[in-house]
Amino acid sequence: MSKLEEIASAVERGKAKLVPGLVQEALDEGIDPVEILNKGMIDAMSVVGEKFKNNEIFVPEMLVAARAMKKGVEVLKPALGSENNVSIGKAVIGTVQGDLHDIGKNLVCLMIESAGFEVQDLGVDVPAEKFVEAAADPAVKIVGVSALLTTTMPAMKATVEALNAAPERANYKVMVGGAPITQEFADEIGADAYTADAATAASVAKAFVVG
């Protein structure tokens, strides 16, 4: 097994204690840091995401894998020079105004970060203006809007409408999700994508940016 395969296997199995050491060994062997990131970790998280979508693993396993990758990225960052090299773009994610649910949002943040994005987590109960303000950053490629209550779906509609009216709209894709949200509702409010779970959100976000 190559060092990159060892890293990928440790990330998939959520071995957070092993991953940093393996990443350091790979660096010491002269393996390209970008290759370690892409082949050792991001590819491993794609496998984890697929397994989650196929119900082969569940939220706890996905969380530990994402945390293991995060530990590896911490070791890798100095070797990558600037953080810009680590990131394929910036994603802004938050739960809409009036909604205090954050478990789903937090999972999406972890998975999107694992796909190679720099994530700005706006938190919960976020007004539309705050989403628009954060999305004005030219580095932002994805805006993720979450709602877990049927009563906050109008707030999601208002948020997406505000984002669609923003002058920077051509720079980013708007993705929506949460328990009461459907593809029909996403289409109706003018979002670019609806995703049913965190793993799908990560793969869709990545596809929007890198094709």
Side-chain angles (χ1 to χ4, degrees), residues 120-132:
Q120 181 182 356
D121 182 355
L122 298 178
V124 298
D125 194 18
V126 182
E129 313 82 74
K130 197 170 172 188
F131 277 102
V132 172

Side-chain angles (χ1 to χ4, degrees), residues 137-171:
D137 179 344
V140 172
K141 302 280 186 269
I142 301 290
V143 181
V145 185
S146 170
L148 269 289
L149 302 168
T150 48
T151 51
T152 56
M153 287 168 72
M156 176 178 275
K157 183 174 190 278
T159 299
V160 174
E161 284 173 354
L163 285 162
N164 287 346
E168 301 82 11
R169 181 61 175 92
N171 298 343

Side-chain angles (χ1 to χ4, degrees), residues 25-97:
E25 284 170 28
L27 289 169
D28 294 344
E29 285 176 22
I31 299 171
D32 178 8
V34 175
E35 206 172 342
I36 298 170
L37 179 71
N38 290 333
K39 296 195 175 156
M41 292 190 278
I42 291 176
D43 285 0
M45 285 306 298
S46 297
V47 173
V48 169
E50 279 303 311
K51 285 183 175 174
F52 177 77
K53 279 190 272 186
N54 297 332
N55 291 323
E56 292 169 43
I57 62 167
F58 300 97
V59 168
E61 292 94 329
M62 193 160 77
L63 276 171
V64 293
R67 285 185 189 131
M69 173 176 165
K70 216 168 178 181
K71 293 282 184 196
V73 171
E74 282 166 18
V75 176
L76 209 49
K77 269 184 181 171
L80 285 155
S82 76
E83 273 191 50
N84 296 340
N85 294 341
V86 185
S87 167
I88 59 171
K90 192 171 181 182
V92 168
I93 299 167
T95 303
V96 297
Q97 190 160 29

Side-chain angles (χ1 to χ4, degrees), residues 41-50 52-53 62 66 69 88-91 93 104-119 141-144 173 175-177 193-211:
M41 292 190 278
I42 291 176
D43 285 0
M45 285 306 298
S46 297
V47 173
V48 169
E50 279 303 311
F52 177 77
K53 279 190 272 186
M62 193 160 77
M69 173 176 165
I88 59 171
K90 192 171 181 182
I93 299 167
K105 170 191 65 65
N106 292 349
L107 195 50
V108 170
C109 286
L110 266 174
M111 288 303 291
I112 284 188
E113 197 169 21
S114 300
F117 286 89
E118 177 197 345
V119 173
K141 302 280 186 269
I142 301 290
V143 181
K173 299 289 186 184
M175 295 172 53
V176 296
Y194 155 73
T195 55
D197 57 67
T200 309
S203 54
V204 169
K206 194 174 178 185
F208 272 141
V209 175
V210 297

